[in-house]
Amino acid sequence: MTGAAGFIGSTTAELLLSEGHEVLALDSLVSGRRENLPIGADFVEGDCGDVDLVRSLGVFDACVHFAARIEPAESMKFPEVFFANNVASTLRLINTLIDTGLERFVFSSSCAVYGDQEEMPIDENRATGPQSPYGQSKLMVEDALRWMAALGRLSCASLRYFNAAGGTLAHPERHDPEIHLIPIALDVALGRRSHIEIYGGDYPTPDGTCVRDYIHVSDLAKAHSLAIAGLGDVRELTLNIGTGVGSSNREVIETVREVTGRELELRVVGRRPGDPAMAVASNVRARELLGWVPERSDLKTIVADAWAAHQSLTL
Ligand SMILES: NC(=O)c1ccc[n+]([C@@H]2O[C@H](COP(=O)([O-])OP(=O)(O)OC[C@H]3O[C@@H](n4cnc5c(N)ncnc54)[C@H](O)[C@@H]3O)[C@@H](O)[C@H]2O)c1
């Protein structure tokens, strides 16, 4: 597992270990945290694009690849960094693993591959149209993987996550810099920040703020375990992982107010380049092909779990 010291990787590693898998965690710690590393997993510090290092790690049944730079707004400033890390390093990783005989590859893709879509929910047949180098980097890897699967080189699942959220006590959501609304709002609730900035209040959405589909990280983790198993039967899977329910920024903040019982100062500022107005998934295909069912992804449970986890964070 690459990126296992990150938010989603660490939660997924813990689930896989609890299911009896053995996990080797590879992470450069460029943005992950050592304390996040799953107990029970072997850890190697290094870059997933380091061919000699990856070759030295041994032979695996499956690779779950989370490692990436993840901030769309940063990718609008430094596209070269995102293509180098998210595409070039990933292709070196895949190449090396194919040489060692790897058969199953599960890739962290993103709803960012869809860009700005008008009709919701978005299903996997929708034409893609990334609006940022970040989204483009995910689509480039997906395309390469589909070719490799079609040509019999390996089996692959590209999981297009919508907005990962929630958290567990062992692995609270924390990114550096933090760009996600719920942890930022929880920081404000704890007095660690003064206010929340909302990027744009004039979108064509019911309350003018962006609408997103929040998916609990525990449900996201389960999709990976099911995808690894599912690749025993099919060569290629491209699946949305979301709930089908959209929540606006204002609704999220209202839920954070309710759950924490704290007042939160909100400031609406200008739009961010690359942000679509709405992103809500159709998850019919993941339900049908994987038997995946989100269990903790209603907004209130997501925020309550995130709040419980967030309070344990020391800064
Ligand atoms: N968080 C979300 O809402 C979301 C949504 C869609 C897709 N994704 C994707 O899910 C994956 C995990 O996201 P996250 O939220 O856990 O992010 P994260 O930043 O917490 O985790 C990413 C991890 O990858 C590591 N890493 C980065 N580049 C590396 C490299 N070249 N070699 C080895 N390790 C490297 C970092 O140190 C970090 O531990 C990413 O691929 C991201 O694009 C996340």
Side-chain angles (χ1 to χ4, degrees), residues 2-10 26-33 36 46-50 65-71 84-86 89-90 107-112 134 138 159-165 173-176 180 215 217 220 224:
T2 72
F7 172 49
I8 307 171
S10 59
L26 173 66
D27 199 299
S28 64
L29 300 180
V30 61
S31 59
R33 298 182 303 139
N36 234 351
D47 196 287
C48 67
D50 180 338
H65 178 49
F66 293 99
R69 293 288 308 264
I70 69 163
E71 316 88 352
N85 195 51
N86 295 5
S89 291
T90 295
F107 173 57
S108 297
S109 188
S110 165
C111 61
Y134 168 73
K138 294 292 178 182
L159 303 184
R160 294 175 171 171
Y161 317 156
F162 280 62
N163 280 54
E173 178 168 15
R174 182 169 175 195
H175 298 95
D176 188 14
H180 297 95
I215 176 81
V217 66
L220 207 45
H224 293 78

Side-chain angles (χ1 to χ4, degrees), residues 5-306:
F7 172 49
I8 307 171
S10 59
T11 311
T12 306
E14 200 160 86
L15 174 73
L16 294 177
L17 287 160
S18 77
E19 291 177 344
H21 295 273
E22 288 174 55
V23 176
L24 177 83
L26 173 66
D27 199 299
S28 64
L29 300 180
V30 61
S31 59
R33 298 182 303 139
R34 198 176 282 277
E35 60 269 35
N36 234 351
L37 285 164
I39 295 164
D42 290 329
F43 173 56
V44 175
E45 184 173 343
D47 196 287
C48 67
D50 180 338
V51 171
D52 292 336
L53 174 67
V54 172
R55 194 173 287 129
S56 74
L57 297 178
V59 175
F60 303 94
D61 299 317
C63 173
V64 190
H65 178 49
F66 293 99
R69 293 288 308 264
I70 69 163
E71 316 88 352
E74 276 294 291
S75 81
M76 300 296 275
K77 294 186 210 150
F78 307 109
E80 66 284 3
V81 174
F82 282 70
F83 290 120
N85 195 51
N86 295 5
V87 182
S89 291
T90 295
L91 293 180
R92 281 202 299 279
L93 170 75
I94 297 169
N95 219 359
T96 313
L97 290 173
I98 287 178
D99 271 352
T100 67
L102 185 91
E103 288 179 358
R104 301 181 198 195
F105 191 87
V106 179
F107 173 57
S108 297
S109 188
S110 165
C111 61
V113 300
Y114 293 114
D116 210 352
Q117 300 278 340
E118 287 199 353
E119 292 219 352
M120 298 294 138
I122 304 168
D123 71 23
E124 294 86 347
N125 295 323
R126 194 69 65 82
T128 49
Q131 298 288 306
S132 66
Y134 168 73
Q136 185 70 53
S137 74
K138 294 292 178 182
L139 188 58
M140 287 164 80
V141 172
E142 277 197 13
D143 284 343
L145 283 170
R146 276 187 285 273
W147 275 107
M148 292 179 216
L151 297 172
R153 303 297 288 158
L154 87 173
S155 300
C156 66
S158 295
L159 303 184
R160 294 175 171 171
Y161 317 156
F162 280 62
N163 280 54
T168 60
L169 289 178
H171 304 289
E173 178 168 15
R174 182 169 175 195
H175 298 95
D176 188 14
E178 189 54 79
I179 54 167
H180 297 95
L181 182 59
I182 294 174
I184 289 175
L186 295 176
D187 270 354
V188 176
L190 285 171
R192 291 173 179 164
R193 292 175 195 252
S194 58
H195 64 278
I196 306 159
E197 287 186 346
I198 298 272
Y199 299 102
D202 57 352
Y203 281 98
T205 58
D207 66 18
T209 65
C210 288
V211 169
R212 295 289 180 268
D213 183 337
Y214 291 87
I215 176 81
H216 197 296
V217 66
S218 302
D219 288 332
L220 207 45
K222 186 68 189 169
H224 293 78
S225 139
L226 293 169
I228 294 169
L231 288 179
D233 303 323
V234 292
R235 273 215 151 288
E236 195 272 326
L237 291 164
T238 301
L239 300 173
N240 287 342
I241 307 294
T243 63
V245 177
S247 306
S248 74
N249 288 344
R250 283 191 194 279
E251 284 171 326
V252 170
I253 287 163
E254 203 37 57
T255 308
V256 174
R257 280 200 183 108
E258 241 177 77
V259 167
T260 63
R262 313 266 166 103
E263 266 318 301
L264 307 172
E265 187 189 331
L266 187 67
R267 293 185 200 160
V268 178
V269 298
R271 292 183 181 196
R272 261 184 326 201
D275 264 350
M278 295 184 83
V280 179
S282 159
N283 61 19
V284 172
R285 195 187 280 183
R287 285 176 184 268
E288 281 179 5
L289 295 184
L290 295 184
W292 174 77
V293 182
E295 288 173 354
R296 296 195 69 76
S297 291
D298 64 282
L299 189 58
K300 201 147 183 195
T301 304
I302 284 178
V303 172
D305 283 2

